[in-house]
Amino acid sequence: MKFSKAWIIAMKDFEEIKKNKYIMTTLILMPLLFAIIYPIVFIGSALAVENTDTSDLEAITGMVPNAETMTPQQILITYLANLMLILFSMVPGIIPTFIASYSFVGEKLNKSMEPLLATPTTDTEVLLGKSLAVFLPTMLVTYMSSCVLVVLVDWLTFPIFNRLFFPNIELLIVLFLFAPAISIMSIELNVLVSSKVNDLRAAQQIGGLVVLPLVIILIASLLNIFSINPISLLLLSALIILLDVGLLYLSKSIFQREEILTRWK
Amino acid sequence: MIVTEGLTRHYGEIVAVDNLTMKIKSGEIFGFLGPNGAGKTTTVRVLCCLISITAGNAFIGDYQVGKPEDSLKIRKMVGLLPENAGLYERLSAYRNLDFYGKLYEMPETRRKENIEHFLRMLGLWERKDQIAGTFSKGMKQKIALARALIHDPEIIFLDEPTAGLDPEAAQMVRNFILELKKEKRTIFLNTHNLDEADKICDRIGLIKTKLIRIASPEDLKKGLWSRKTAIQLHNLNDTILKTVKQLDSVKSFQTMDNKLILEVDDPEKENPSIIEAIIKAGGKIVFVTEVRPSLEDVYLKLIKEA
């Protein structure tokens, strides 16, 4: 396996992505909206509640680490900020469905896969190249929009905490472990979807199911079944990485010349 | 250069190619003819190491098709023009070719030279920076052809290269293929176009899952029909017919208005005495021509029999 060949394929895909207005608009607007709307809705609502009593927050106090050292408003903000981090993880989950649908299904529809597969490249080089073309822009926009999120949250919460709320350990785990793992899961799922559908929209819709685990985590947190803290985030990331390994094995077995040319619909 | 020995490919229960044995020489233009679903594209895909062989063997040069360590080497020495151009529509013609040149690990100078060489040959150099998606079907096909040649492959597989092209574009592609022959490249041409195969192929293989026949276009035609001579007369009458009937050199004949169509074993040797006899019988000859079966006649006959 030559990484240089995978990189050539990735660079070609980047170039195509850059020229696709639909993908570029989604890539810029969606993460930005998430980075702006979430802090305003979540932190803004917590700021609006000034006269909170600790007894009102009994249900969530146990979910916030070091809650005993915080004011009720700080507890509420910390709780909501953690929820917001899970919601923000949808960015690296959803973005790949848009790019990958074009990268995999688009290439299939355009009938450009056969000449590509006729070159002296291995299946792994092609798969890696196309995956990198999805993963790298996804992580780039995730990190760029996270900067907006961090600045906005810190600006909103500084008067309450008298210190910078972000970056904290939860954010670092989400950005550097959880988000990449979610992104890889989304890419692998899209490879599997690409072998079964012949329609970009269908691929995006099915690929979008990747946010389902995040929604489950969110509901579990709201129901106080799951607490968002560094340990739980590490465990969750490990679980998704395990899933990624399984999905990678599956997608590698599907992304083979023979399969693509004879069995892909 | 290309050898297949009992090459067989199944898709589940369906047999796409059955026991294909043939040899294609270096520098030859080999036409592969057959109806839709006859196994032409499958054969090309197998020979380009894109899909596996169910049974039998195939060799490209010194390399064996299906042997994992030979697959990359084979793909490096062959160029493929698939049925669909499959260009990257958002990229320019130049960038499409450059991308493939890089995948073939060509040095930058050679890559640039080859892109310019082929785009100029195909009359597209001036439009090299135009987005491929804006090109006509003929232009896209030309770029796809340049793409198949970008790495100077020894063997080129062309799958229906002129399908859907207007006559002018098709003619240009055909001329281009003949240019490639001058460069001693081996060309494997899948086509439905019998006229095209007749004009440019050195040999033709007829396939309908199994290989039906393999020969030069001329030999295919000669092998199936005895040679016939048509004699257009001014006045075909019973005396002339009686004379022709008595000639030993005429195996059979038929008439059509004032035209006599004779089946003769050796026209070059026998025709002068036949014509002399007809004139002696009072026949006034308008013209004499050889009746040649078309490749289409041959194709239809053989495919029907298969």
Side-chain angles (χ1 to χ4, degrees):
Chain A
M1 215 272 305
K2 286 185 179 172
F3 183 78
S4 59
K5 286 198 179 176
W7 188 247
I8 291 166
I9 294 167
M11 291 307 287
K12 186 272 297 172
D13 276 12
F14 286 147
E15 212 175 318
E16 285 197 294
I17 290 164
K18 273 196 296 181
K19 290 181 177 172
N20 188 319
K21 283 179 191 163
Y22 172 68
I23 293 184
M24 284 310 285
T25 312
T26 311
L27 271 180
I28 294 165
L29 286 184
M30 201 189 81
L32 207 61
L33 281 174
F34 274 38
I36 293 169
I37 289 173
Y38 286 158
I40 290 173
V41 172
F42 281 73
I43 310 299
S45 60
L47 290 175
V49 185
E50 283 176 357
N51 302 317
T52 317
D53 196 270
T54 319
S55 58
D56 296 334
L57 301 171
E58 256 177 35
I60 60 167
T61 305
M63 311 286 286
V64 176
N66 304 320
E68 62 282 358
T69 62
M70 295 181 192
T71 66
Q73 200 171 28
Q74 284 174 337
I75 294 171
L76 187 61
I77 288 172
T78 308
Y79 174 75
L80 290 174
N82 284 342
L83 285 182
M84 190 179 66
L85 282 181
I86 296 296
L87 273 173
F88 185 73
S89 303
M90 283 184 183
V91 172
I94 294 171
I95 293 283
T97 65
F98 288 96
I99 309 177
S101 61
Y102 276 91
S103 181
F104 291 96
V105 181
E107 188 133 1
K108 191 167 72 167
L109 289 174
N110 195 33
K111 314 264 183 202
S112 50
M113 203 63 112
E114 189 169 356
L116 175 63
L117 296 175
T119 60
T121 47
T122 63
D123 298 334
T124 312
E125 284 161 359
V126 178
L127 179 61
L128 178 63
K130 297 196 89 50
S131 301
L132 278 174
V134 183
F135 180 75
L136 295 178
T138 300
M139 293 318 296
L140 182 72
V141 295
T142 302
Y143 291 147
M144 283 171 73
S145 56
S146 73
C147 292
V148 176
L149 179 108
V150 166
V151 169
L152 198 55
V153 169
D154 283 341
W155 178 66
L156 287 168
T157 59
F158 193 81
I160 311 296
F161 287 90
N162 287 321
R163 63 172 170 85
L164 296 180
F165 183 83
F166 279 146
N168 60 11
I169 190 78
E170 285 89 346
L171 177 82
L172 295 177
I173 293 170
V174 164
L175 286 185
F176 296 107
L177 209 59
F178 192 66
I182 284 282
S183 172
I184 291 169
M185 185 166 83
S186 180
I187 294 165
E188 304 309 336
L189 267 174
N190 271 283
V191 175
L192 300 181
V193 170
S194 302
S195 66
K196 298 288 173 202
V197 299
N198 258 333
D199 178 70
L200 286 172
R201 298 273 178 270
Q204 286 165 2
Q205 281 160 11
I206 300 170
L209 291 176
V210 74
V211 299
L212 207 61
L214 297 175
V215 174
I216 293 169
I217 295 166
L218 201 70
I219 293 169
S221 300
L222 288 170
L223 295 172
N224 291 343
I225 300 167
F226 183 82
S227 166
I228 300 165
N229 57 52
I231 302 289
S232 65
L233 282 174
L234 279 173
L235 286 172
L236 209 58
S237 302
L239 184 73
I240 292 175
I241 289 167
L242 270 177
L243 266 171
D244 284 350
V245 173
L247 283 170
L248 185 70
Y249 177 79
L250 257 177
S251 59
K252 262 200 84 176
S253 69
I254 278 180
F255 199 88
Q256 289 182 0
R257 280 172 169 76
E258 179 97 26
E259 289 279 328
I260 294 168
L261 293 172
T262 60
R263 301 220 175 104
W264 279 30
K265 282 182 182 171
Chain B
M1 191 44 117
I2 304 172
V3 178
T4 66
E5 296 166 346
L7 176 71
T8 302
R9 167 69 204 204
H10 294 187
Y11 292 112
E13 299 287 303
I14 300 161
V15 182
V17 179
D18 190 15
N19 201 25
L20 177 67
T21 298
M22 59 183 184
K23 273 185 189 171
I24 295 157
K25 289 171 276 177
S26 177
E28 182 178 16
I29 301 185
F30 181 80
F32 212 36
L33 292 178
N36 289 330
K40 303 189 298 292
T41 298
T42 297
T43 304
V44 166
R45 283 179 170 177
V46 165
L47 294 175
C48 290
C49 298
L50 288 170
I51 57 173
S52 60
I53 294 175
T54 307
N57 286 312
F59 299 88
I60 302 284
D62 297 329
Y63 304 114
Q64 185 173 358
V65 175
K67 212 172 166 184
E69 61 267 36
D70 285 354
S71 292
L72 286 183
K73 291 169 191 160
I74 289 173
R75 285 206 290 267
K76 207 160 191 167
M77 69 187 285
V78 305
L80 168 67
L81 172 71
E83 251 177 301
N84 297 289
L87 299 176
Y88 297 112
E89 306 250 320
R90 287 191 168 84
L91 303 185
S92 68
Y94 191 95
R95 184 65 185 102
N96 263 281
L97 299 180
D98 189 53
F99 167 63
Y100 278 88
K102 282 179 178 167
L103 283 182
Y104 283 103
E105 295 177 308
M106 294 169 71
E108 194 180 347
T109 326
R110 201 179 130 217
R111 209 167 62 228
K112 283 182 175 173
E113 279 171 7
N114 277 15
I115 293 173
E116 183 170 351
H117 170 69
F118 288 118
L119 285 182
R120 279 195 191 281
M121 254 179 112
L122 292 161
L124 288 170
W125 178 246
E126 304 305 322
R127 306 176 83 165
K128 66 182 192 303
D129 296 321
Q130 199 172 317
I131 300 299
T134 61
F135 285 137
S136 68
K137 189 173 180 186
M139 286 180 196
K140 283 181 184 172
Q141 193 71 343
K142 286 180 195 172
I143 298 167
L145 195 53
R147 181 187 62 200
L149 297 163
I150 195 71
H151 57 297
D152 293 319
E154 293 169 56
I155 303 168
I156 304 148
F157 290 94
L158 306 173
D159 199 353
E160 306 284 355
T162 56
L165 299 189
D166 62 64
E168 198 186 348
Q171 184 59 44
M172 186 167 181
V173 169
R174 259 178 238 129
N175 291 340
F176 188 71
I177 294 169
L178 289 170
E179 284 296 313
L180 296 175
K181 183 179 163 63
K182 286 181 195 161
E183 294 175 10
K184 307 281 177 212
R185 298 182 204 255
T186 308
I187 297 160
F188 190 104
L189 174 74
N190 272 1
T191 183
H192 274 124
N193 190 325
L194 301 168
D195 187 47
E196 177 175 288
D198 199 4
K199 279 178 186 160
I200 67 174
C201 294
D202 298 311
R203 284 194 307 149
I204 286 170
L206 284 175
I207 184 174
K208 193 175 171 188
T209 307
K210 284 172 185 265
L211 186 66
I212 301 167
R213 191 146 321 179
I214 194 165
S216 71
E218 278 310 306
D219 287 346
L220 268 179
K221 289 180 233 171
K222 279 181 193 169
L224 281 179
W225 273 272
S226 56
R227 299 176 71 184
K228 288 179 181 169
T229 303
I231 303 172
Q232 181 69 51
L233 292 147
H234 202 273
N235 55 334
L236 184 58
N237 54 38
D238 289 345
T239 319
I240 295 169
L241 287 175
K242 202 175 164 187
T243 307
V244 170
K245 232 181 239 177
Q246 285 167 351
L247 293 169
D248 292 337
S249 53
V250 176
K251 287 170 71 183
S252 68
F253 72 92
Q254 58 191 95
T255 59
M256 200 186 291
D257 299 327
N258 276 336
K259 191 193 276 181
L260 259 176
I261 299 168
L262 314 173
E263 193 183 337
V264 188
D265 275 336
D266 191 351
E268 282 83 1
K269 197 179 158 194
E270 311 286 359
N271 278 356
S273 55
I274 294 170
I275 289 161
E276 206 179 329
I278 291 171
I279 293 169
K280 269 187 187 169
K284 287 183 180 174
I285 294 171
V286 181
F287 55 80
V288 181
T289 51
E290 187 181 3
V291 180
R292 297 163 69 97
S294 69
L295 191 60
E296 190 175 350
D297 298 326
V298 178
Y299 174 86
L300 291 173
K301 184 174 186 230
L302 288 173
I303 293 293
K304 206 174 174 185
E305 283 170 6

